[in-house]
Amino acid sequence: MLRVAGRRLSSLTWGSRQGLPAAARSPCLAGYDGSICSVNRSFFFTSSLPDQIRGFSSGAIAPGQEVQESGLVSDIPATVAAIKNPSSKIVYDEHIHERYPVGDPSKRAFAYFVLTGGRFVYASLARLLILKFVLSMSASKDVLALASLEVDLSSIEPGSTVTVKWRGKPVFIRRRTDDDIKLANSVDVASLRDPQEDGIRVKNPEWLVVVGVCTHLGCIPLPNAGDFGGWFCPCHGSHYDISGRIRKGPAPYNLEVPTYTFLDDNKLLIG
């Protein structure tokens, strides 16, 4: 652009000087001092050039104005013309890109579908994270398998005791005879260290279910032993009766009764 403008400027200047007389073309004559020469030079440039380079003037060009004599309006870039002649009317090129008006009803259903689908995905991710967090705090399968224990009672003879393992602890299951039941109910509850009636500790008088851990220091008592026919802890000499109640020794409490239910006459569920 600058190269084309320079060529046009030089051609216009040379043509204008060819049409002038010799005195005008050579203003610095012999015998003239430098002041006259400079005046003639300034006169030449101030009188002829601005008319020729009007197309490069920084002045504003009115909309619709056409300069016929110079023919330089077409060389002004579109951005420069837009800055010099601001307008509130903006024209977009619709030839390449198709444009839709704001709020086009034909595109509303698609916009709703995209927004709803995104929200559904976010809600599903949040639900998955919450479920993962809750399930991470629940017990594992091996722990749940040990949470309960089913025992077959049909093979236990009257007067005998069976030891099973539940949650890592021994559990004593004793099938009591009629004499054992009468003996357990004949004890004066007020004289016991940890007063409990026999009917509170059993659901079926024939079956006694207690945790086989001594309440003193956690030892395992021996069944069918001791001064009262129940259990005896050889570590520190604690004696328990036929109902699992402490009768003698340092143990402070009776043997613990776990949670259990009878599924039928010969099935027991502990836990």
Side-chain angles (χ1 to χ4, degrees):
M1 181 65 71
L2 294 178
R3 184 179 298 175
V4 174
R7 290 177 180 177
R8 290 186 180 182
L9 179 60
S10 60
S11 62
L12 291 174
T13 306
W14 175 258
S16 62
R17 294 190 63 182
Q18 291 297 326
L20 294 177
R25 282 181 292 175
S26 181
C28 295
L29 301 177
Y32 283 74
D33 55 2
S35 62
I36 298 176
C37 181
S38 61
V39 169
N40 290 336
R41 243 179 235 157
S42 64
F43 171 79
F44 169 75
F45 280 103
T46 55
S47 60
S48 62
L49 272 180
D51 294 335
Q52 302 298 332
I53 60 175
R54 189 174 300 170
F56 297 95
S57 175
S58 60
I61 302 176
Q65 180 182 358
E66 298 180 357
V67 181
Q68 299 293 339
E69 56 271 17
S70 62
L72 300 177
V73 176
S74 60
D75 293 334
I76 299 178
T79 55
V80 177
I83 294 175
K84 291 183 178 181
N85 303 285
S87 175
S88 60
K89 182 180 179 181
I90 301 175
V91 180
Y92 296 98
D93 186 7
E94 305 290 346
H95 177 70
I96 300 177
H97 303 287
E98 184 179 4
R99 290 183 175 271
Y100 298 96
V102 178
D104 188 3
S106 63
K107 301 297 179 181
R108 190 173 302 165
F110 177 75
Y112 288 163
F113 174 76
V114 172
L115 293 176
T116 306
R119 292 169 183 171
F120 178 77
V121 171
Y122 295 151
S124 300
L125 292 177
R127 174 181 174 274
L128 180 61
L129 292 177
I130 293 174
L131 288 178
K132 289 290 185 180
F133 177 73
V134 172
L135 292 176
S136 65
M137 297 186 295
S138 61
S140 58
K141 292 183 179 180
D142 55 345
V143 175
L144 294 176
L146 297 175
S148 60
L149 178 65
E150 185 175 337
V151 182
D152 185 11
L153 304 177
S154 60
S155 60
I156 302 176
E157 298 294 333
S160 61
T161 303
V162 174
T163 304
V164 296
K165 187 177 181 181
W166 172 68
R167 294 183 180 177
K169 297 181 291 186
V171 175
F172 299 147
I173 302 175
R174 184 180 179 92
R175 187 173 185 179
R176 301 190 298 184
T177 61
D178 294 338
D179 294 337
D180 295 337
I181 297 173
K182 291 178 182 179
L183 181 61
N185 290 322
S186 63
V187 177
D188 184 11
V189 178
S191 64
L192 299 176
R193 183 179 302 172
D194 186 12
Q196 277 187 332
E197 295 183 358
D198 182 71
I200 299 176
R201 296 177 57 82
V202 295
K203 293 184 178 181
N204 185 349
E206 184 180 1
W207 299 96
L208 175 68
V209 182
V210 292
V211 177
V213 177
C214 181
T215 57
H216 181 220
L217 293 177
C219 304
I220 299 177
L222 301 176
N224 302 324
D227 298 343
F228 303 91
W231 289 267
F232 171 69
C233 182
C235 298
H236 300 91
S238 298
H239 297 258
Y240 300 89
D241 63 6
I242 202 66
S243 185
R245 296 173 294 194
I246 183 63
R247 301 293 295 274
K248 184 180 178 180
Y253 303 107
N254 303 330
L255 293 178
E256 180 186 357
V257 178
T259 302
Y260 66 93
T261 55
F262 288 97
L263 301 178
D264 52 36
D265 294 339
N266 295 320
K267 292 289 183 180
L268 176 68
L269 180 65
I270 305 175

